[in-house]
Amino acid sequence: MAQYTIDDLIYLMSRLRDPETGCPWDLKQTYATIVPHTLEEAYEVADAIECEDWEHLNDELGDLLFQVIFYAQLGTEDQRFDFSTVVNNLIEKLVRRHPHVFPDGTLHSNCADNPISEEEIKRNWEAIKQQERDAKEAKGISRVLDDVPRALPALSRAAKLQKRAAQVGFDWNETEAVLDKMEEELAELREAIKSGDKAAVADEMGDMLFAQVNLARHLGVNPEHAVRGTNQKFERRFSHVEDQVLASDRDWDGFSLDELDAFWDQAKAKGL
């Protein structure tokens, strides 16, 4: 039996959205209502990769692809765009942003003769993206922080906002200055805590986290990946603590914090 193709998937989506014979759930969806599903599928792809669950990564990528097909179907129905438009625009953009691979600006052009370093590639990429933003700005539709997606996870969006501001010179030159800023924000957080003003505490806590993201950026650390790694580490070590509690004849409230900390230290000693 021949394998299905992308054209079959597009056809399937059109059947699901058929006003007379389609699926009731799919028919009632809109751009906005499927966004949470898109984010969930993207996270499931990331989780499969982080867990090195290669067996299920294929399925998760399929689920994520289906989200793109769904949006394309909605665009077709609204006569805004279709899947072929999405593909065409993507290829045009990627060819434009990779002049070191497509020197004459066409998909099937010969590769450039001169090798280029990864650092040069990154500089060229950002320069081309800036040219694209400048072109939008010339039409009166772009500012420095425009097009940084609001739906990004907060840490990732903070890093992108800071990176964008840094491109126009709004940034510290030294990592030490960022550490000083963190100390300043920590002092302000302490004052807010003393005041008992919950709104102020939340505000200063946000500033503190934003400063930590800035430090991560200066150190070349992806803050989202760093926290995800720490979350996994916490899960492993807490699971060890829980194993010790379950192996005993005592409930959680029968252990002191010092005893639980001792279990935690055991987990660290085991490299968990």
Side-chain angles (χ1 to χ4, degrees):
M1 179 178 176
Q3 286 191 323
Y4 291 121
T5 68
I6 192 68
D7 289 333
D8 294 318
L9 182 57
I10 294 171
Y11 172 70
L12 179 150
M13 187 70 249
S14 68
R15 290 284 303 274
L16 292 176
R17 290 280 297 182
D18 186 287
E20 296 181 0
T21 61
C23 169
W25 186 89
D26 290 283
L27 282 168
K28 72 178 184 181
Q29 301 309 309
T30 67
Y31 297 102
T33 61
I34 62 175
V35 165
H37 301 286
T38 306
L39 295 174
E40 180 180 344
E41 298 300 351
Y43 280 123
E44 290 182 359
V45 167
D47 188 63
I49 292 172
E50 289 189 2
C51 296
E52 298 186 354
D53 186 0
W54 312 124
E55 180 181 354
H56 292 102
L57 178 58
N58 177 45
D59 288 338
E60 300 300 349
L61 288 170
D63 292 341
L64 185 57
L65 173 61
F66 182 70
Q67 300 300 304
V68 177
I69 297 296
F70 208 135
Y71 290 116
Q73 176 63 31
L74 295 178
T76 299
E77 294 170 10
D78 295 341
Q79 297 185 333
R80 292 173 173 165
F81 56 86
D82 57 16
F83 185 72
S84 63
T85 310
V86 173
V87 172
N88 181 75
N89 291 350
L90 174 61
I91 292 175
E92 284 186 347
K93 179 171 63 178
L94 291 178
V95 167
R96 183 171 65 249
R97 291 183 179 180
H98 291 81
H100 53 290
V101 179
F102 311 103
D104 65 2
T106 63
L107 179 60
H108 299 289
S109 60
N110 293 325
C111 294
D113 295 330
N114 298 324
I116 185 171
S117 69
E118 184 176 349
E119 189 59 36
E120 289 177 294
I121 292 172
K122 289 180 179 179
R123 285 199 300 268
N124 289 344
W125 179 275
E126 291 301 333
I128 292 168
K129 288 176 67 177
Q130 186 58 51
Q131 290 172 3
E132 293 171 358
R133 287 193 289 269
D134 290 344
K136 292 181 180 179
E137 188 173 3
K139 299 177 182 178
I141 57 173
S142 179
R143 295 172 65 86
V144 173
L145 301 182
D146 280 358
D147 69 26
V148 178
R150 295 184 180 276
L152 281 173
L155 294 180
S156 295
R157 189 163 194 267
K160 284 188 175 291
L161 289 170
Q162 294 166 3
K163 181 180 178 181
R164 186 68 61 79
Q167 289 174 358
V168 294
F170 192 76
D171 194 15
W172 283 288
N173 294 323
E174 302 290 338
T175 301
E176 194 64 32
V178 186
L179 287 168
D180 291 341
K181 181 63 176 177
M182 284 181 56
E183 292 178 1
E184 175 189 327
E185 297 296 351
L186 179 59
E188 292 178 358
L189 177 58
R190 291 182 188 278
E191 288 298 318
I193 293 172
K194 288 180 182 179
S195 73
D197 185 335
K198 292 185 177 181
V201 169
D203 186 58
E204 297 299 343
M205 189 73 249
D207 290 347
M208 183 67 188
L209 291 170
F210 195 81
Q212 289 176 302
V213 171
N214 215 344
L215 177 62
R217 182 176 59 86
H218 276 263
L219 295 175
V221 174
N222 183 306
E224 198 73 34
H225 291 174
V227 175
R228 287 173 69 88
T230 297
N231 287 344
Q232 293 171 359
K233 180 170 61 178
F234 179 86
E235 286 183 284
R236 292 193 303 270
R237 293 178 179 176
F238 186 81
S239 291
H240 174 81
V241 173
E242 187 172 24
D243 287 342
Q244 307 315 302
V245 173
L246 293 175
S248 73
D249 295 325
R250 300 151 64 187
D251 294 327
W252 281 95
D253 56 9
F255 288 87
S256 68
L257 180 57
D258 287 341
E259 289 176 304
L260 296 176
D261 276 340
F263 294 148
W264 181 271
D265 290 337
Q266 290 175 5
K268 289 178 65 176
K270 291 182 176 182
L272 297 179

